mmCIF file of all heavy atoms in Angstrom:
data_model
loop_
_atom_site.group_PDB
_atom_site.id
_atom_site.type_symbol
_atom_site.label_atom_id
_atom_site.label_comp_id
_atom_site.label_asym_id
_atom_site.label_seq_id
_atom_site.Cartn_x
_atom_site.Cartn_y
_atom_site.Cartn_z
ATOM 1 N N ASN M 1 -4.892 13.832 -17.844
ATOM 2 C CA ASN M 1 -3.788 14.524 -17.178
ATOM 3 C C ASN M 1 -3.985 14.700 -15.675
ATOM 4 O O ASN M 1 -3.183 15.360 -15.019
ATOM 5 C CB ASN M 1 -3.556 15.898 -17.830
ATOM 6 C CG ASN M 1 -4.784 16.790 -17.774
ATOM 7 O OD1 ASN M 1 -5.777 16.452 -17.130
ATOM 8 N ND2 ASN M 1 -4.716 17.925 -18.453
ATOM 9 N N LYS M 2 -5.051 14.126 -15.112
ATOM 10 C CA LYS M 2 -5.281 14.217 -13.672
ATOM 11 C C LYS M 2 -4.743 13.001 -12.910
ATOM 12 O O LYS M 2 -4.972 12.857 -11.720
ATOM 13 C CB LYS M 2 -6.773 14.385 -13.382
ATOM 14 C CG LYS M 2 -7.345 15.718 -13.843
ATOM 15 C CD LYS M 2 -8.801 15.869 -13.427
ATOM 16 C CE LYS M 2 -9.332 17.236 -13.841
ATOM 17 N NZ LYS M 2 -10.757 17.409 -13.418
ATOM 18 N N SER M 3 -4.050 12.131 -13.615
ATOM 19 C CA SER M 3 -3.529 10.928 -12.974
ATOM 20 C C SER M 3 -2.487 11.284 -11.912
ATOM 21 O O SER M 3 -1.851 12.342 -11.970
ATOM 22 C CB SER M 3 -2.908 9.989 -14.014
ATOM 23 O OG SER M 3 -1.825 10.612 -14.672
ATOM 24 N N PHE M 4 -2.321 10.398 -10.945
ATOM 25 C CA PHE M 4 -1.412 10.623 -9.826
ATOM 26 C C PHE M 4 0.038 10.571 -10.293
ATOM 27 O O PHE M 4 0.477 9.600 -10.883
ATOM 28 C CB PHE M 4 -1.664 9.552 -8.754
ATOM 29 C CG PHE M 4 -0.872 9.743 -7.499
ATOM 30 C CD1 PHE M 4 -1.284 10.640 -6.522
ATOM 31 C CD2 PHE M 4 0.284 9.015 -7.269
ATOM 32 C CE1 PHE M 4 -0.562 10.812 -5.347
ATOM 33 C CE2 PHE M 4 1.017 9.175 -6.097
ATOM 34 C CZ PHE M 4 0.592 10.084 -5.137
ATOM 35 N N LYS M 5 0.778 11.636 -10.008
ATOM 36 C CA LYS M 5 2.185 11.730 -10.415
ATOM 37 C C LYS M 5 3.023 12.082 -9.180
ATOM 38 O O LYS M 5 3.186 13.254 -8.843
ATOM 39 C CB LYS M 5 2.364 12.775 -11.507
ATOM 40 C CG LYS M 5 1.611 12.469 -12.803
ATOM 41 C CD LYS M 5 1.827 13.560 -13.832
ATOM 42 C CE LYS M 5 1.106 13.263 -15.136
ATOM 43 N NZ LYS M 5 -0.369 13.246 -14.965
ATOM 44 N N PRO M 6 3.563 11.087 -8.497
ATOM 45 C CA PRO M 6 4.318 11.351 -7.269
ATOM 46 C C PRO M 6 5.612 12.117 -7.512
ATOM 47 O O PRO M 6 6.255 11.965 -8.548
ATOM 48 C CB PRO M 6 4.598 9.944 -6.724
ATOM 49 C CG PRO M 6 4.568 9.059 -7.924
ATOM 50 C CD PRO M 6 3.533 9.642 -8.830
ATOM 51 N N ASN M 7 5.972 12.933 -6.550
ATOM 52 C CA ASN M 7 7.248 13.661 -6.612
ATOM 53 C C ASN M 7 8.027 13.538 -5.300
ATOM 54 O O ASN M 7 8.976 14.274 -5.044
ATOM 55 C CB ASN M 7 7.013 15.141 -6.952
ATOM 56 C CG ASN M 7 6.075 15.830 -5.970
ATOM 57 O OD1 ASN M 7 5.738 15.280 -4.921
ATOM 58 N ND2 ASN M 7 5.632 17.032 -6.310
ATOM 59 N N TYR M 8 7.596 12.585 -4.468
ATOM 60 C CA TYR M 8 8.205 12.377 -3.148
ATOM 61 C C TYR M 8 8.075 10.890 -2.839
ATOM 62 O O TYR M 8 6.982 10.326 -2.937
ATOM 63 C CB TYR M 8 7.432 13.211 -2.131
ATOM 64 C CG TYR M 8 8.038 13.306 -0.743
ATOM 65 C CD1 TYR M 8 8.702 14.458 -0.324
ATOM 66 C CD2 TYR M 8 7.892 12.267 0.182
ATOM 67 C CE1 TYR M 8 9.222 14.565 0.969
ATOM 68 C CE2 TYR M 8 8.410 12.371 1.469
ATOM 69 C CZ TYR M 8 9.072 13.525 1.856
ATOM 70 O OH TYR M 8 9.582 13.638 3.127
ATOM 71 N N TYR M 9 9.189 10.272 -2.481
ATOM 72 C CA TYR M 9 9.182 8.819 -2.274
ATOM 73 C C TYR M 9 9.763 8.477 -0.901
ATOM 74 O O TYR M 9 10.697 9.117 -0.432
ATOM 75 C CB TYR M 9 10.017 8.116 -3.347
ATOM 76 C CG TYR M 9 9.503 8.312 -4.753
ATOM 77 C CD1 TYR M 9 9.905 9.414 -5.515
ATOM 78 C CD2 TYR M 9 8.623 7.400 -5.335
ATOM 79 C CE1 TYR M 9 9.435 9.608 -6.801
ATOM 80 C CE2 TYR M 9 8.156 7.578 -6.627
ATOM 81 C CZ TYR M 9 8.554 8.686 -7.356
ATOM 82 O OH TYR M 9 8.088 8.867 -8.630
ATOM 83 N N ILE M 10 9.182 7.441 -0.283
ATOM 84 C CA ILE M 10 9.711 6.940 0.982
ATOM 85 C C ILE M 10 10.022 5.455 0.819
ATOM 86 O O ILE M 10 9.180 4.672 0.358
ATOM 87 C CB ILE M 10 8.713 7.162 2.132
ATOM 88 C CG1 ILE M 10 8.569 8.677 2.396
ATOM 89 C CG2 ILE M 10 9.177 6.442 3.403
ATOM 90 C CD1 ILE M 10 7.613 9.043 3.505
ATOM 91 N N ASN M 11 11.224 5.078 1.181
ATOM 92 C CA ASN M 11 11.701 3.705 1.046
ATOM 93 C C ASN M 11 10.976 2.810 2.057
ATOM 94 O O ASN M 11 11.063 3.011 3.266
ATOM 95 C CB ASN M 11 13.209 3.675 1.295
ATOM 96 C CG ASN M 11 13.816 2.296 1.066
ATOM 97 O OD1 ASN M 11 13.124 1.323 0.794
ATOM 98 N ND2 ASN M 11 15.135 2.215 1.165
ATOM 99 N N ILE M 12 10.235 1.802 1.565
ATOM 100 C CA ILE M 12 9.558 0.870 2.474
ATOM 101 C C ILE M 12 10.027 -0.565 2.211
ATOM 102 O O ILE M 12 9.292 -1.519 2.499
ATOM 103 C CB ILE M 12 8.022 0.966 2.363
ATOM 104 C CG1 ILE M 12 7.535 0.586 0.955
ATOM 105 C CG2 ILE M 12 7.533 2.354 2.760
ATOM 106 C CD1 ILE M 12 6.053 0.236 0.900
ATOM 107 N N THR M 13 11.240 -0.705 1.702
ATOM 108 C CA THR M 13 11.785 -2.045 1.445
ATOM 109 C C THR M 13 11.761 -2.897 2.719
ATOM 110 O O THR M 13 11.437 -4.086 2.670
ATOM 111 C CB THR M 13 13.221 -1.939 0.893
ATOM 112 O OG1 THR M 13 13.197 -1.138 -0.305
ATOM 113 C CG2 THR M 13 13.769 -3.327 0.565
ATOM 114 N N GLY M 14 12.085 -2.283 3.834
ATOM 115 C CA GLY M 14 12.098 -3.016 5.096
ATOM 116 C C GLY M 14 10.726 -3.156 5.735
ATOM 117 O O GLY M 14 10.586 -3.852 6.745
ATOM 118 N N GLN M 15 9.709 -2.508 5.150
ATOM 119 C CA GLN M 15 8.368 -2.522 5.742
ATOM 120 C C GLN M 15 7.308 -3.168 4.852
ATOM 121 O O GLN M 15 6.148 -3.278 5.258
ATOM 122 C CB GLN M 15 7.923 -1.075 6.061
ATOM 123 C CG GLN M 15 8.690 -0.383 7.158
ATOM 124 C CD GLN M 15 10.067 0.099 6.731
ATOM 125 O OE1 GLN M 15 10.241 0.550 5.598
ATOM 126 N NE2 GLN M 15 11.041 0.019 7.631
ATOM 127 N N ILE M 16 7.679 -3.601 3.660
ATOM 128 C CA ILE M 16 6.666 -4.098 2.721
ATOM 129 C C ILE M 16 5.914 -5.309 3.274
ATOM 130 O O ILE M 16 4.691 -5.418 3.116
ATOM 131 C CB ILE M 16 7.291 -4.408 1.330
ATOM 132 C CG1 ILE M 16 6.200 -4.838 0.335
ATOM 133 C CG2 ILE M 16 8.408 -5.416 1.426
ATOM 134 C CD1 ILE M 16 5.143 -3.799 0.059
ATOM 135 N N GLU M 17 6.610 -6.223 3.920
ATOM 136 C CA GLU M 17 5.931 -7.417 4.440
ATOM 137 C C GLU M 17 4.977 -7.047 5.580
ATOM 138 O O GLU M 17 3.887 -7.622 5.692
ATOM 139 C CB GLU M 17 6.951 -8.461 4.896
ATOM 140 C CG GLU M 17 7.836 -8.992 3.786
ATOM 141 C CD GLU M 17 7.047 -9.525 2.593
ATOM 142 O OE1 GLU M 17 5.954 -10.100 2.803
ATOM 143 O OE2 GLU M 17 7.517 -9.370 1.449
ATOM 144 N N ASP M 18 5.370 -6.091 6.413
ATOM 145 C CA ASP M 18 4.479 -5.642 7.476
ATOM 146 C C ASP M 18 3.284 -4.882 6.906
ATOM 147 O O ASP M 18 2.187 -4.909 7.481
ATOM 148 C CB ASP M 18 5.233 -4.758 8.471
ATOM 149 C CG ASP M 18 6.115 -5.563 9.416
ATOM 150 O OD1 ASP M 18 5.782 -6.736 9.669
ATOM 151 O OD2 ASP M 18 7.127 -5.024 9.885
ATOM 152 N N LYS M 19 3.485 -4.188 5.795
ATOM 153 C CA LYS M 19 2.361 -3.519 5.140
ATOM 154 C C LYS M 19 1.352 -4.556 4.649
ATOM 155 O O LYS M 19 0.134 -4.380 4.829
ATOM 156 C CB LYS M 19 2.844 -2.661 3.966
ATOM 157 C CG LYS M 19 1.703 -2.038 3.163
ATOM 158 C CD LYS M 19 2.166 -1.020 2.150
ATOM 159 C CE LYS M 19 0.965 -0.462 1.397
ATOM 160 N NZ LYS M 19 1.274 0.743 0.602
ATOM 161 N N ILE M 20 1.832 -5.622 4.050
ATOM 162 C CA ILE M 20 0.954 -6.691 3.569
ATOM 163 C C ILE M 20 0.220 -7.334 4.748
ATOM 164 O O ILE M 20 -1.000 -7.595 4.671
ATOM 165 C CB ILE M 20 1.748 -7.750 2.781
ATOM 166 C CG1 ILE M 20 2.397 -7.120 1.525
ATOM 167 C CG2 ILE M 20 0.854 -8.921 2.408
ATOM 168 C CD1 ILE M 20 1.432 -6.517 0.550
ATOM 169 N N LYS M 21 0.927 -7.595 5.834
ATOM 170 C CA LYS M 21 0.284 -8.165 7.034
ATOM 171 C C LYS M 21 -0.800 -7.230 7.562
ATOM 172 O O LYS M 21 -1.875 -7.683 7.983
ATOM 173 C CB LYS M 21 1.330 -8.408 8.122
ATOM 174 C CG LYS M 21 2.259 -9.581 7.865
ATOM 175 C CD LYS M 21 3.268 -9.725 9.000
ATOM 176 C CE LYS M 21 4.259 -10.847 8.723
ATOM 177 N NZ LYS M 21 5.290 -10.955 9.802
ATOM 178 N N SER M 22 -0.519 -5.943 7.536
ATOM 179 C CA SER M 22 -1.493 -4.956 8.010
ATOM 180 C C SER M 22 -2.728 -4.934 7.125
ATOM 181 O O SER M 22 -3.864 -4.842 7.622
ATOM 182 C CB SER M 22 -0.859 -3.564 8.052
ATOM 183 O OG SER M 22 0.228 -3.525 8.956
ATOM 184 N N LEU M 23 -2.527 -5.033 5.827
ATOM 185 C CA LEU M 23 -3.652 -5.037 4.890
ATOM 186 C C LEU M 23 -4.583 -6.215 5.147
ATOM 187 O O LEU M 23 -5.803 -6.109 4.999
ATOM 188 C CB LEU M 23 -3.131 -5.066 3.455
ATOM 189 C CG LEU M 23 -4.182 -5.020 2.343
ATOM 190 C CD1 LEU M 23 -5.015 -3.746 2.444
ATOM 191 C CD2 LEU M 23 -3.512 -5.111 0.977
ATOM 192 N N LYS M 24 -4.026 -7.325 5.560
ATOM 193 C CA LYS M 24 -4.823 -8.542 5.794
ATOM 194 C C LYS M 24 -5.777 -8.401 6.969
ATOM 195 O O LYS M 24 -6.709 -9.212 7.099
ATOM 196 C CB LYS M 24 -3.890 -9.742 5.975
ATOM 197 C CG LYS M 24 -3.188 -10.155 4.684
ATOM 198 C CD LYS M 24 -2.248 -11.342 4.899
ATOM 199 C CE LYS M 24 -1.568 -11.743 3.585
ATOM 200 N NZ LYS M 24 -0.623 -12.864 3.775
ATOM 201 N N PHE M 25 -5.594 -7.385 7.798
ATOM 202 C CA PHE M 25 -6.570 -7.121 8.854
ATOM 203 C C PHE M 25 -7.910 -6.717 8.253
ATOM 204 O O PHE M 25 -8.954 -6.907 8.875
ATOM 205 C CB PHE M 25 -6.064 -6.019 9.792
ATOM 206 C CG PHE M 25 -5.151 -6.517 10.876
ATOM 207 C CD1 PHE M 25 -3.823 -6.815 10.606
ATOM 208 C CD2 PHE M 25 -5.622 -6.700 12.169
ATOM 209 C CE1 PHE M 25 -2.972 -7.277 11.613
ATOM 210 C CE2 PHE M 25 -4.776 -7.157 13.175
ATOM 211 C CZ PHE M 25 -3.450 -7.454 12.901
ATOM 212 N N TYR M 26 -7.852 -6.141 7.044
ATOM 213 C CA TYR M 26 -9.074 -5.744 6.332
ATOM 214 C C TYR M 26 -9.396 -6.787 5.256
ATOM 215 O O TYR M 26 -9.532 -6.462 4.072
ATOM 216 C CB TYR M 26 -8.882 -4.372 5.686
ATOM 217 C CG TYR M 26 -8.645 -3.248 6.663
ATOM 218 C CD1 TYR M 26 -7.383 -2.668 6.787
ATOM 219 C CD2 TYR M 26 -9.679 -2.741 7.444
ATOM 220 C CE1 TYR M 26 -7.159 -1.620 7.671
ATOM 221 C CE2 TYR M 26 -9.466 -1.688 8.332
ATOM 222 C CZ TYR M 26 -8.210 -1.133 8.438
ATOM 223 O OH TYR M 26 -7.989 -0.091 9.310
ATOM 224 N N GLU M 27 -9.516 -8.009 5.653
ATOM 225 C CA GLU M 27 -9.635 -9.109 4.693
ATOM 226 C C GLU M 27 -10.839 -8.966 3.774
ATOM 227 O O GLU M 27 -10.795 -9.398 2.611
ATOM 228 C CB GLU M 27 -9.695 -10.449 5.428
ATOM 229 C CG GLU M 27 -10.833 -10.571 6.432
ATOM 230 C CD GLU M 27 -10.808 -11.896 7.166
ATOM 231 O OE1 GLU M 27 -10.059 -12.783 6.737
ATOM 232 O OE2 GLU M 27 -11.523 -12.036 8.178
ATOM 233 N N ASN M 28 -11.926 -8.355 4.258
ATOM 234 C CA ASN M 28 -13.117 -8.207 3.421
ATOM 235 C C ASN M 28 -12.942 -7.177 2.312
ATOM 236 O O ASN M 28 -13.749 -7.116 1.382
ATOM 237 C CB ASN M 28 -14.324 -7.817 4.284
ATOM 238 C CG ASN M 28 -14.766 -8.933 5.204
ATOM 239 O OD1 ASN M 28 -14.521 -10.115 4.929
ATOM 240 N ND2 ASN M 28 -15.414 -8.587 6.299
ATOM 241 N N GLU M 29 -11.902 -6.364 2.406
ATOM 242 C CA GLU M 29 -11.652 -5.322 1.394
ATOM 243 C C GLU M 29 -10.616 -5.752 0.365
ATOM 244 O O GLU M 29 -10.392 -5.053 -0.618
ATOM 245 C CB GLU M 29 -11.184 -4.038 2.077
ATOM 246 C CG GLU M 29 -12.155 -3.496 3.108
ATOM 247 C CD GLU M 29 -13.555 -3.331 2.548
ATOM 248 O OE1 GLU M 29 -13.696 -2.732 1.461
ATOM 249 O OE2 GLU M 29 -14.512 -3.799 3.188
ATOM 250 N N ILE M 30 -9.986 -6.882 0.591
ATOM 251 C CA ILE M 30 -8.979 -7.376 -0.352
ATOM 252 C C ILE M 30 -9.670 -8.070 -1.516
ATOM 253 O O ILE M 30 -10.610 -8.850 -1.326
ATOM 254 C CB ILE M 30 -8.004 -8.345 0.352
ATOM 255 C CG1 ILE M 30 -7.256 -7.619 1.480
ATOM 256 C CG2 ILE M 30 -7.006 -8.927 -0.645
ATOM 257 C CD1 ILE M 30 -6.424 -8.537 2.341
ATOM 258 N N ARG M 31 -9.230 -7.793 -2.728
ATOM 259 C CA ARG M 31 -9.812 -8.383 -3.929
ATOM 260 C C ARG M 31 -8.848 -9.395 -4.541
ATOM 261 O O ARG M 31 -7.686 -9.476 -4.167
ATOM 262 C CB ARG M 31 -10.150 -7.279 -4.936
ATOM 263 C CG ARG M 31 -11.129 -6.235 -4.403
ATOM 264 C CD ARG M 31 -12.499 -6.837 -4.153
ATOM 265 N NE ARG M 31 -13.436 -5.840 -3.633
ATOM 266 C CZ ARG M 31 -13.811 -5.737 -2.376
ATOM 267 N NH1 ARG M 31 -13.278 -6.562 -1.471
ATOM 268 N NH2 ARG M 31 -14.682 -4.832 -1.990
ATOM 269 N N LYS M 32 -9.340 -10.118 -5.512
ATOM 270 C CA LYS M 32 -8.512 -11.113 -6.183
ATOM 271 C C LYS M 32 -7.712 -10.466 -7.307
ATOM 272 O O LYS M 32 -8.194 -9.567 -7.992
ATOM 273 C CB LYS M 32 -9.387 -12.241 -6.749
ATOM 274 C CG LYS M 32 -10.047 -13.100 -5.680
ATOM 275 C CD LYS M 32 -10.851 -14.234 -6.312
ATOM 276 C CE LYS M 32 -11.493 -15.105 -5.238
ATOM 277 N NZ LYS M 32 -12.280 -16.222 -5.842
#
């Protein structure tokens, strides 16, 4: 019962691709 249960959401439909690009800056932390 300690699992994460969000109650607040922010629309990132227009930002998802930029989020992925940002994640790639940390390439050594990305897993398969």
Side-chain angles (χ1 to χ4, degrees):
N1 59 8
K2 292 185 177 181
S3 61
F4 185 81
K5 298 179 179 65
N7 57 11
Y8 189 104
Y9 298 88
I10 293 180
N11 185 356
I12 62 162
T13 303
Q15 292 76 37
I16 184 62
E17 297 307 325
D18 283 333
K19 175 171 180 167
I20 298 300
K21 287 179 183 177
S22 298
L23 182 60
K24 290 179 179 178
F25 276 78
Y26 297 108
E27 58 182 348
N28 291 335
E29 303 307 311
I30 298 172
R31 301 294 180 257
K32 292 182 179 180

